[in-house]
Amino acid sequence: MIRIAAVGDVHLGEDARGRLRPALEELGDCADVLLLAGDLTRHGTVSEARVVADEFGGLPVPVVAVLGNHDHHDDKPHEVSAVLRDAGITVLEGDTTTIDVNGHTLGVAGVKGFGGGFAGKCGSAFGEPEMKAFIRHTTEIADSLRAALGRLDTDVKVALTHYAPVPDTLRGEPPEIYPFLGSYLLGEAIDANNTHLAVHGHAHFGNEHGMTPGGVRVRNVAQPVIRSAYTVYCVEPAVVEV
Ligand SMILES: [Fe+2]
Ligand SMILES: [Fe+2]
């Protein structure tokens, strides 16, 4: 069994140093890895990233992150990622990491994701160039998630995104903003690759539990949703238990 802790949307500002750390110190007792589902900062500044690095660096378990839209706001995603990596955090964007856990291998494929909406109520690459660019960004990211998951040859595969791959975990959000909260293309990428678990954030007013059309468990770990420092999912190579 592999124990996967996860949280997203901690939105740490410069005044938040030390806020989460006490709850993380005992993480090694209950989890084998910690996944961070983006929106780690408030505005994506390098100084905020240093706070994130101090909070999540040097923990007793590997920490794997994707960035969120807030982490892009200051137009320095590479600098933010570099600060996190300097603290030992693995930051994924279209790539993977593999972790050995008690004789099993855990593979994590991560992307930020993007919006676009869900089947029957989604945008399409039609009309103005701005609309085409919007959908192209989603399509390229979903393709990179699909390819990254496909490269994993591990006992357990987990998809880590910021944006949602299904609408199930958005219930509680206004339906009008669903197209800005995620894309069904992410869900299709997850379903195409025998994924065991999909973890995302971004939907602060959504709910925790959902499922892809192909039956993959989806969990919205936005901190306002899980209302704790993190939550832990226990995953077997063939079965997910929550
Ligand atoms: Fe957020
Ligand atoms: Fe977000």
Side-chain angles (χ1 to χ4, degrees), residues 8-11 37-41 68-70 162 201-204 222 224:
D9 299 270
V10 292
H11 288 277
D39 278 4
L40 309 177
T41 65
N69 55 311
H70 280 250
H162 180 59
H202 191 48
H204 293 204

Side-chain angles (χ1 to χ4, degrees), residues 30-49:
C30 63
D32 300 303
V33 63
L34 173 64
L35 306 184
L36 301 177
D39 278 4
L40 309 177
T41 65
R42 284 189 193 146
H43 299 106
T45 65
V46 170
S47 54
E48 289 177 345

Side-chain angles (χ1 to χ4, degrees), residues 33-214:
V33 63
L34 173 64
L35 306 184
L36 301 177
D39 278 4
L40 309 177
T41 65
R42 284 189 193 146
H43 299 106
T45 65
V46 170
S47 54
E48 289 177 345
R50 291 196 186 100
V51 176
V52 176
D54 287 347
E55 293 295 281
F56 292 103
L59 290 176
V61 300
V63 180
V64 182
V66 293
L67 300 187
N69 55 311
H70 280 250
D71 307 317
H72 280 254
H73 183 65
D74 203 37
D75 297 325
K76 295 187 178 68
H78 300 296
E79 290 91 331
V80 167
S81 295
V83 170
L84 301 186
R85 288 184 177 119
D86 284 348
I89 298 168
T90 299
V91 183
L92 301 177
E93 181 52 51
D95 46 359
T96 65
T97 189
T98 297
I99 299 163
D100 291 324
V101 180
N102 301 325
H104 293 293
T105 52
L106 166 67
V108 182
V111 295
K112 172 181 66 69
F114 198 49
F118 299 92
K121 302 179 181 64
C122 58
S124 61
F126 182 87
E128 302 92 327
E130 291 82 1
M131 190 64 193
K132 290 172 182 163
F134 181 95
I135 298 302
R136 189 185 314 122
H137 187 53
T138 296
T139 303
E140 289 173 353
I141 289 175
D143 287 348
S144 71
L145 177 61
R146 182 185 295 251
L149 285 166
R151 288 194 300 273
L152 284 174
D153 182 22
T154 50
D155 298 323
V156 169
K157 290 187 183 187
V158 175
L160 175 62
T161 64
H162 180 59
Y163 286 76
V166 296
D168 306 22
T169 46
L170 305 183
R171 286 191 305 272
E173 296 277 5
E176 293 85 352
I177 69 168
Y178 276 30
F180 303 105
L181 297 178
S183 167
Y184 77 101
L185 296 173
L186 299 170
E188 288 190 345
I190 289 163
D191 275 345
N193 283 287
N194 298 318
T195 310
H196 293 78
L197 176 70
V199 173
H200 74 88
H202 191 48
H204 293 204
F205 299 100
N207 68 97
E208 183 181 356
H209 291 226
M211 188 174 286
T212 67

